Amino acid sequence: EYMGLTSLASYFLSAVMSVVRGVARAHAARVIELLRPVVGDERFARVSRMVDARAAGVIVALDGLYDRSNVLAAMRTVEGMGVAAVDVIANRGPPLYRRKRESGAAKGAMQWLDVRNFRDGDAAVTQWSQEQAVVLSATLSPRAVPLGELVAALPRDRRLVFVFGNESSGISAPVLAGSAREFVLPMRGMTQSYNVSV
């Protein structure tokens, strides 16, 4: 049975959205309240539908990606799936994402994302710990549980961080050590991993 990228995205979004329904959206409600007097009815309805569908309690973290193009493509996919927050962990060198530098399709998606840059995995784990977030890392480890099986056990009252590792070595040691659980996305073909940018 073939699972195309659209099916995978749909599967991931369904799993994530089932967890975050009901998460407090106080900041979104305040923004809507402030915009209401200056936005037309049709646009207000469209924005309200979009905000209601967003996964407010979810962060997607990109851990040590080498290719900046993969970072931007992944961010665009994440925004398209309704996730509003992305954490980018550099693990080497300068930040891989700078809002002012982006152009084209990436810039269009980026305006809707809250992006945080971290110099390394330790800094990211420290921040997530302060936020009392539950960190879930995508791995191919024997400890990894299929995401669909993990969903029912995830807390609905805490932020969830879904971490995806780099193109060759996966999740960094500090992030893996700070993870509550490891998960795996279903694979139906002969390859052992997905392209993180999709």
Side-chain angles (χ1 to χ4, degrees), residues 43-62:
R43 184 169 181 104
F44 180 78
R46 192 174 100 215
V47 169
S48 294
R49 282 191 306 274
M50 182 197 72
V51 167
D52 287 343
R54 290 187 85 73
V58 173
I59 298 170
V60 170
L62 306 173

Side-chain angles (χ1 to χ4, degrees), residues 55-133:
V58 173
I59 298 170
V60 170
L62 306 173
D63 184 12
L65 272 57
Y66 295 129
D67 187 336
R68 197 170 142 276
S69 297
N70 280 348
V71 171
L72 297 176
M75 291 169 76
R76 186 169 182 213
T77 298
V78 165
E79 195 287 321
M81 293 174 69
V83 175
V86 177
D87 287 348
V88 181
I89 305 166
N91 283 331
R92 61 175 180 73
L96 288 169
Y97 171 74
R98 291 192 179 111
R99 187 174 302 273
K100 293 180 181 179
R101 255 187 4 192
E102 310 315 334
S103 62
K107 186 174 185 178
M110 300 316 128
Q111 67 183 329
W112 304 109
L113 290 172
D114 293 324
V115 181
R116 299 186 296 189
N117 283 297
F118 293 96
R119 70 182 177 281
D120 56 34
D122 288 319
V125 170
T126 298
Q127 180 64 40
W128 299 331
S129 177
Q130 290 172 355
E131 295 170 356
Q132 298 181 351

